[in-house]
Amino acid sequence: VEIYSLHVDCKVTARFAHTVITSKIVNRDNKSREATFQVELPKTAFITNFSMSIDGKVYPGIIKEKASAQMEYDTAVSRGQSAGLVKITGRKLEQFHVSVSIAAASKVTFELTYEELLKRQLGKFELLIKVRPKQLVKHFQIDVHLFEPQGLRFLETNSTFMTNELTEALTQVQSETKAHILFKPTVDQQKINPELDETLLDGDFVVRYDVKRAATAGDIQIVNGYFVHYFAPHELPAFPKNVIFVIDRSGSMAGRKIEQTRDALLAVLQDLRPEDHFGFITFNNKVVEWKSSLLQATAENVASAAGFVQSLSASGGTRQPPTLVTINTHLMTVSQSHSIEEYIFVSITGERNVEVIQENVRKAIDGKYALFCLGFGFDVDYKFLEKMALSNGGLARRIYENADAALQLQGFYEEVATPILKKIEMQYPENDIEGLTKNNFKLLFEGSEIIVSGKIKNDLDLLPVEIKAQSHGSDLTLKEEANIKEKEQVFQNQSYIFGNFIERLWAYLTIQQLLEKAISAQEGDRKALEAQALALSLQYSFVTPLTSMVVTKPPGEQQLEVANKPTEAG
């Protein structure tokens, strides 16, 4: 069975990426063989389409409500044959895998489409394409078209498998607002060495970029009555912060976990600014406070803390997490004299009395602090951590137990280490906009970006925008007016753009936010939020945690398989 053609075609327009992977396979044997289509896609992406074409007959994937798909195909699900189509394969990726039997000398074409909104982190956007054909491919290419009306500030392409020979197969053409990246290696260039029929192509192909920013109130794009507003101010001073690291050092953290936590904390200590305040609380079957109050991040205090971190070891049984009263007491020692942001970081592997803890945490935090939860490995109640973090203005992240776990911890801290704005309100004319996505934000971090989208329901010439926020030292009010006709014109002549991309971006963002809100909502509210997200998922053909794609196969095989969207919480 030979893959004779593998094309990855990706169009990125104003951060929204639309990727189509097409694999053409021929059975050169004189008897039936199994052809497999296996691709990895970003966890943040939603699959929107899949089809198999065998000898001219097309077998499409059909997106349905998850519950009804599972009822309808209960037999396939109960035999366990439907669960394997999509699974999480790592920190950033999930795998789509389907196999089909093809007759002697027959051909099959697989086509998978997915979409995602690229998220700005640490000052750049990242488009990740996983490359793993497992054999030499006669016609192999990755074709990326990028269009950013704001202009490209920088652009770089690299991969984990690039050699001097493969570099010759890569071309990159760039103008003020556009880029075209083509990677088209010949069979000889793909070989590990001339004698062996083994491929070099195994790893990540990554495009990173950022856009130019002129307007202080951000940038607005408009297509077919839908708008998206990007806001990422730069050169603002950072707020000093109060940060408490709450570290689980029970026996479950023994070995590599506690070593990597120590490595990450030592690096994080070096990143604290002199005006920051910090503290440590550790727990196993008892709670230990490093100091009775937060200390300023002077060179002397940081050195003393480094000594404490280096002495951390994991032992002891039952986890007894510190009460939030203990943490609050720490924070109050400085927050009375510093009107600044407060943070709590938690690195823990499990809990007891989940509902009680959640309620105690919520009451203790009372909207004043952001809670960030990091869960090490898979023996962690991630659902609990995620709910706690999202209920308290923060984020949750699973730390994968790989060699780079310390870098994962450190990287997460870097993302949220530099708050530049708080209490951000993005205001639009209420009577002229509907379906507005989240427009109030607790914090904005250096290197990230706020995105708001909605539908313009009246015939306007101008779309006025007002942003109110607090920066370190002053209150900000920024105003902007977008000329709707001019904005619509920007995309008129771009032949490779899928026309309704801002509408699809709006739907993608709305679904993501509804699902996120549902995690920390009460039962009644959760059902209403999920119903809205489900309706949009079906309307725009997205495979989300609420929908499934049913894949039909030719007669004589396991007739139906179901592709579900896995979530980090399982």
Side-chain angles (χ1 to χ4, degrees):
V1 175
E2 178 197 331
I3 302 171
Y4 65 92
S5 173
L6 182 58
H7 284 198
V8 181
D9 180 48
C10 187
K11 299 175 173 65
V12 184
T13 311
R15 334 287 200 264
F16 197 60
H18 174 93
T19 303
V20 182
I21 300 176
T22 310
S23 176
K24 295 182 178 181
I25 297 176
V26 61
N27 178 8
R28 300 209 184 278
D29 206 343
N30 56 9
K31 58 176 185 268
S32 289
R33 288 280 180 193
E34 191 167 71
T36 298
F37 177 69
Q38 182 175 301
V39 297
E40 287 177 275
L41 57 143
K43 286 180 183 176
T44 47
F46 289 153
I47 291 171
T48 67
N49 202 10
F50 171 73
S51 67
M52 300 185 278
S53 176
I54 304 169
D55 292 334
K57 181 162 172 50
V58 177
Y59 298 87
I62 296 161
I63 294 174
K64 302 193 172 194
E65 180 184 357
K66 191 174 186 176
S68 70
Q70 290 204 344
M71 274 164 53
E72 208 173 325
Y73 308 106
D74 212 18
T75 49
V77 175
S78 65
R79 288 202 298 268
Q81 289 163 307
S82 66
L85 287 193
V86 187
K87 63 180 181 187
I88 287 177
T89 53
R91 192 164 81 248
K92 293 182 178 178
L93 296 162
E94 60 195 31
Q95 183 191 83
F96 180 90
H97 176 115
V98 68
S99 297
V100 66
S101 180
I102 52 171
S106 281
K107 292 178 179 178
V108 58
T109 299
F110 296 102
E111 187 175 282
L112 180 75
T113 305
Y114 61 84
E115 293 176 343
E116 64 177 318
L117 181 58
L118 301 182
K119 187 179 176 187
R120 189 168 184 254
Q121 288 179 313
L122 301 175
K124 54 186 176 286
F125 301 98
E126 180 177 287
L127 176 72
L128 170 61
I129 296 167
K130 193 73 176 180
V131 179
R132 191 173 285 163
K134 296 183 179 175
Q135 59 174 262
L136 300 172
V137 180
K138 189 176 180 183
H139 303 288
F140 179 93
Q141 74 173 44
I142 296 173
D143 196 12
V144 179
H145 284 274
L146 195 63
F147 176 48
E148 287 288 352
Q150 282 174 267
L152 293 164
R153 187 175 68 79
F154 84 90
L155 174 75
E156 61 183 29
T157 305
N158 49 38
S159 80
T160 54
F161 52 77
M162 204 58 81
T163 61
N164 289 339
E165 288 77 17
L166 284 174
T167 305
E168 292 169 18
L170 179 67
T171 56
Q172 185 173 302
V173 182
Q174 187 180 339
S175 68
E176 179 74 11
T177 57
K178 292 181 197 171
H180 179 211
I181 296 147
L182 181 65
F183 179 56
K184 198 174 179 179
T186 63
V187 169
D188 285 343
Q189 286 172 321
Q190 293 171 45
K191 288 182 178 180
I192 286 179
N193 69 49
E195 284 75 48
L196 287 174
D197 281 352
E198 286 181 29
T199 180
L200 281 163
L201 305 183
D202 184 358
D204 299 342
F205 185 88
V206 184
V207 178
R208 292 186 187 91
Y209 73 93
D210 196 19
V211 299
K212 294 176 179 172
R213 289 182 176 80
T216 51
D219 187 71
I220 294 172
Q221 305 295 340
I222 302 170
V223 171
N224 296 340
Y226 284 83
F227 79 89
V228 60
H229 183 189
Y230 299 107
F231 179 56
H234 54 244
E235 294 174 1
L236 287 175
F239 282 101
K241 60 186 179 294
N242 303 337
V243 54
I244 299 181
F245 300 93
V246 185
I247 310 297
D248 178 355
R249 56 181 173 84
S250 62
S252 63
M253 286 286 283
R256 286 291 285 145
K257 286 182 189 175
I258 197 72
E259 280 173 33
Q260 290 171 320
T261 301
R262 278 200 304 263
D263 291 348
L265 289 173
L266 289 170
V268 164
L269 282 170
Q270 300 311 310
D271 287 341
L272 290 171
R273 294 183 184 80
E275 61 271 23
D276 294 339
H277 288 72
F278 72 104
F280 289 97
I281 298 174
T282 66
F283 65 95
N284 47 15
N285 48 354
K286 62 178 191 283
V287 174
V288 175
E289 300 172 47
W290 173 53
K291 302 288 181 188
S292 59
S293 64
L294 295 192
L295 297 187
Q296 193 168 347
T298 61
E300 189 183 343
N301 287 338
V302 167
S304 168
F308 169 75
V309 167
Q310 278 165 332
S311 71
L312 280 179
S313 61
S315 61
T318 327
R319 300 175 198 89
Q320 185 58 53
T323 66
L324 265 281
V325 173
T326 312
I327 296 171
N328 255 350
T329 308
H330 270 61
L331 284 169
M332 290 310 291
T333 59
V334 292
S335 57
Q336 286 163 353
S337 54
H338 298 259
S339 56
I340 54 180
E341 295 305 321
E342 300 95 4
Y343 294 77
I344 306 164
F345 280 72
V346 187
S347 175
I348 53 182
T349 57
E351 286 304 352
R352 306 280 182 275
N353 307 324
V354 168
E355 284 80 11
V356 175
I357 293 169
Q358 280 170 354
E359 187 54 25
N360 289 346
V361 168
R362 194 189 58 74
K363 280 181 183 166
I365 285 180
D366 193 27
K368 293 195 284 285
Y369 321 128
L371 178 67
F372 297 89
C373 295
L374 301 177
F376 233 120
F378 284 87
D379 55 350
V380 58
D381 185 349
Y382 188 81
K383 209 173 235 179
F384 161 73
L385 293 184
E386 190 174 41
K387 189 167 185 175
M388 260 205 339
L390 291 174
S391 302
N392 294 289
L395 296 167
R397 187 76 53 87
R398 190 190 296 282
I399 301 300
Y400 281 72
E401 291 178 63
N402 303 335
D404 72 342
L407 288 174
Q408 292 174 52
L409 281 161
Q410 198 182 333
F412 179 82
Y413 173 77
E414 282 172 11
E415 280 177 49
V416 296
T418 315
I420 53 172
L421 287 178
K422 65 179 182 178
K423 297 180 181 172
I424 306 117
E425 291 177 33
M426 313 280 283
Q427 296 174 351
Y428 308 87
E430 244 175 75
N431 299 330
D432 298 313
I433 301 294
E434 62 186 4
L436 191 66
T437 61
K438 181 178 175 180
N439 65 326
N440 285 300
F441 301 86
K442 196 167 190 159
L443 296 164
L444 176 66
F445 301 101
E446 179 70 58
S448 67
E449 179 175 67
I450 283 173
I451 303 175
V452 181
S453 186
K455 185 179 183 182
I456 303 165
K457 64 180 181 182
N458 295 326
D459 190 15
L460 299 180
D461 293 327
L462 298 171
L463 176 64
V465 176
E466 186 172 5
I467 300 171
K468 291 185 174 177
Q470 290 177 21
S471 70
H472 184 42
S474 66
D475 288 351
L476 284 185
T477 301
L478 305 169
K479 293 184 179 182
E480 189 75 45
E481 278 187 332
N483 184 309
I484 292 172
K485 281 195 175 65
E486 278 178 20
K487 290 289 181 184
E488 291 259 13
Q489 202 61 43
V490 170
F491 297 98
Q492 296 295 316
N493 309 318
Q494 310 303 327
S495 57
Y496 61 79
I497 289 170
F498 43 115
N500 62 342
F501 89 94
I502 292 185
E503 184 178 345
R504 294 192 66 79
L505 182 160
W506 166 81
Y508 172 100
L509 189 59
T510 303
I511 292 166
Q512 292 271 34
Q513 291 178 356
L514 287 168
L515 292 173
E516 201 172 273
K517 273 173 82 174
I519 289 167
S520 55
Q522 299 298 316
E523 182 69 11
D525 292 340
R526 183 178 61 76
K527 285 187 171 166
L529 292 163
E530 286 182 349
Q532 288 177 59
L534 172 62
L536 284 172
S537 301
L538 292 170
Q539 184 182 342
Y540 289 93
S541 292
F542 285 130
V543 178
T544 70
L546 304 173
T547 54
S548 299
M549 178 180 280
V550 178
V551 177
T552 311
K553 291 188 175 182
E557 294 198 47
Q558 153 67 40
Q559 272 278 278
L560 297 160
E561 292 194 293
V562 181
N564 293 325
K565 172 83 176 165
T567 62
E568 199 64 72

